[in-house]
Amino acid sequence: MTPPIPAKGHYDIGFLLLPGFSQLAFSSALEPLRMANHLADRTLYTWHLVSRDGAAVEASSGLATAVDQALEPMPALDLLLVCGGVEVQRYDDRATLAWLKRLAERRIPLGAVCTGGYVLARAGLLDGYRCTLHWEHISSLHEAQRFPGVAFTSQLFVMDRDRYTCSGGIAPLDMMLNLIGRQQGLALAESIAEEFIHERIRGVGDRQRTPLRVRLGHSHPKLEEVANLMEANLQELLELDELASYAGLSRRQLERLFQRYVGCPPLRFYLELRLARARLLLSQTHMPITEVAMACGFVSPPHFTKCYHDYFGHSPSSERKRRHDRQADLVEPPEASEPPLDGTGESESLPCGD
């Protein structure tokens, strides 16, 4: 079994910095490589910073970062990561897009952090792949029907064959820790996470947590107020009349708001929030299933198990087993012939229904 990037002693990774790139996302991808070298006490990774013309690149924060070289001469790399940021939709540099295509022709694995995936997609290098972007950009791409050949997901990061994409913020840290774990072993990846006070290495099955106001579509301030109340009271549940009263609404008004803007009754939405919270606890903690049920407002474990199975199609114990399977993937990567390394493919969306 071999990782998508060949297992060897030393890796050369390039970072293409685009104007307005996210300094946080870039650093989150680079720093694990530095720490890997430090903890291993030898050079496991080297990196090269690249810009279109070899000049320093200004990040979205206004800070300029010096680079090692321009696009040419083309460096010998094991992986190239495109680092994007603000206003990436306007980026249309033909020389850079052509350069990325030449890298792909040489079968150099390509990846992106934050919005860099947009540039790979614009170059036609994500067609037929699963990938991810920051949640702010995914919805707009769907609405504009851009890049129909690309399967965008809400995952934190996606490792699909020779394409590695992740969302913004500190998500690149998790992607690189997974990559290091597969190449150098889980022990080193966990040691790096401890050095960075990163309590858990998130896996390919983890998803971006879209803000509640975005999930509701900025639809109505009263609706957002009630939804926030629900989210703050998942263990000690509030009655529907209480929720309506806190928001200065009648029960009937509250029910109409949810039906109009969310498409389901308020109690159904409340249940979905509780089940989503339970799923996070099952996958991210060692809490016993009984305690998870109580923490999410379920009166008994059997009732919790039934609701969970009805909604997700599998039991809470199966969810916990999936967590162990994901951790095992860090130790031993899947066969190249297996499905792409992007989780089970099931949707995290919370459909409304009775």
Side-chain angles (χ1 to χ4, degrees):
M1 296 183 180
T2 57
I5 296 180
K8 61 177 188 177
H10 176 264
Y11 298 86
D12 290 300
I13 297 180
F15 293 88
L16 174 62
L17 305 185
L18 303 181
F21 72 96
S22 166
Q23 191 80 51
L24 175 60
F26 162 62
S27 298
S28 295
L30 175 62
E31 283 297 308
L33 305 179
R34 177 191 65 81
M35 186 57 69
N37 291 345
H38 172 70
L39 294 178
D41 197 26
R42 62 189 179 94
T43 303
L44 298 173
Y45 299 94
T46 55
W47 48 88
H48 311 271
L49 307 189
V50 183
S51 70
R52 183 189 187 283
D53 54 6
V57 184
E58 189 172 284
S60 57
S61 63
L63 296 176
T65 298
V67 301
D68 301 308
Q69 67 167 85
L71 300 180
E72 301 294 346
M74 188 177 294
L77 298 173
D78 296 297
L79 172 65
L80 185 281
L81 294 175
V82 181
C83 301
V86 298
E87 298 185 351
V88 69
Q89 295 91 336
R90 300 182 182 181
Y91 192 81
D92 188 25
D93 182 74
R94 297 183 182 275
T96 301
L97 298 180
W99 181 75
L100 290 170
K101 291 178 182 179
R102 291 198 298 276
L103 290 181
E105 290 170 357
R106 292 173 52 182
R107 299 188 179 279
I108 293 175
L110 300 173
V113 301
C114 196
T115 59
Y118 187 98
V119 176
L120 290 180
R122 186 152 196 161
L125 300 175
L126 290 179
D127 288 346
Y129 287 90
R130 290 168 58 82
C131 76
T132 191
L133 291 171
H134 191 278
W135 58 262
E136 284 186 316
H137 297 271
I138 292 177
S139 58
S140 62
L141 287 178
H142 282 311
E143 291 172 3
Q145 297 183 334
R146 296 293 306 271
F147 315 123
V150 183
F152 290 100
T153 80
S154 61
Q155 291 172 224
L156 282 173
F157 63 92
V158 176
M159 304 169 76
D160 186 354
R161 293 160 285 170
D162 56 351
R163 296 292 184 269
Y164 302 76
T165 56
C166 69
S167 52
I170 63 170
L173 171 60
D174 294 284
M175 184 177 77
M176 300 307 284
L177 288 174
N178 275 262
L179 188 61
I180 292 169
R182 296 184 180 204
Q183 293 171 345
Q184 314 294 345
L186 178 60
L188 179 58
E190 289 182 335
S191 296
I192 296 170
E194 290 176 357
E195 289 286 338
F196 292 156
I197 318 178
H198 191 55
E199 65 179 11
R200 184 180 72 89
I201 301 177
R202 295 176 290 182
V204 292
D206 285 287
R207 297 178 182 271
Q208 302 178 54
R209 187 175 184 276
T210 307
L212 187 61
R213 59 181 175 79
V214 175
R215 282 184 274 156
L216 294 174
H218 305 273
S219 51
H220 196 288
K222 291 291 185 181
L223 187 62
E224 184 177 339
E225 181 180 350
V226 171
N228 284 324
L229 281 170
M230 290 178 175
E231 199 165 44
N233 293 273
L234 298 180
Q235 182 171 1
E236 299 294 334
L237 304 180
L238 298 176
E239 297 291 338
L240 192 57
D241 288 335
E242 291 180 286
L243 290 167
S245 176
Y246 282 132
L249 300 169
S250 69
R251 178 173 178 143
R252 180 174 291 275
Q253 287 175 318
L254 181 60
E255 290 173 335
R256 286 176 176 172
L257 277 178
F258 269 88
Q259 288 291 358
R260 177 177 179 182
Y261 292 104
V262 185
C264 69
L267 291 181
R268 176 65 182 182
F269 183 80
Y270 207 172
L271 174 63
E272 291 169 355
L273 289 178
R274 294 157 58 203
L275 290 171
R277 173 62 175 167
R279 194 178 203 186
L280 286 176
L281 293 176
L282 289 168
S283 63
Q284 298 181 7
T285 74
H286 296 284
M287 290 174 61
I289 292 176
T290 299
E291 292 184 13
V292 172
M294 295 178 61
C296 298
F298 291 94
V299 296
S300 68
H303 180 234
F304 169 56
T305 297
K306 182 182 185 303
C307 291
Y308 200 94
H309 188 278
D310 289 346
Y311 195 74
F312 291 114
H314 55 266
S315 66
S317 59
S318 296
E319 190 73 62
R320 181 60 54 80
K321 181 178 182 299
R322 292 183 178 201
R323 175 195 180 190
H324 296 309
D325 292 342
R326 289 196 295 268
Q327 291 175 334
D329 283 343
L330 277 175
V331 181
E332 188 173 23
E335 292 279 7
S337 60
E338 291 180 358
L341 305 175
D342 50 16
T344 62
E346 73 174 297
S347 174
E348 178 74 5
S349 62
L350 299 177
C352 291
D354 297 327

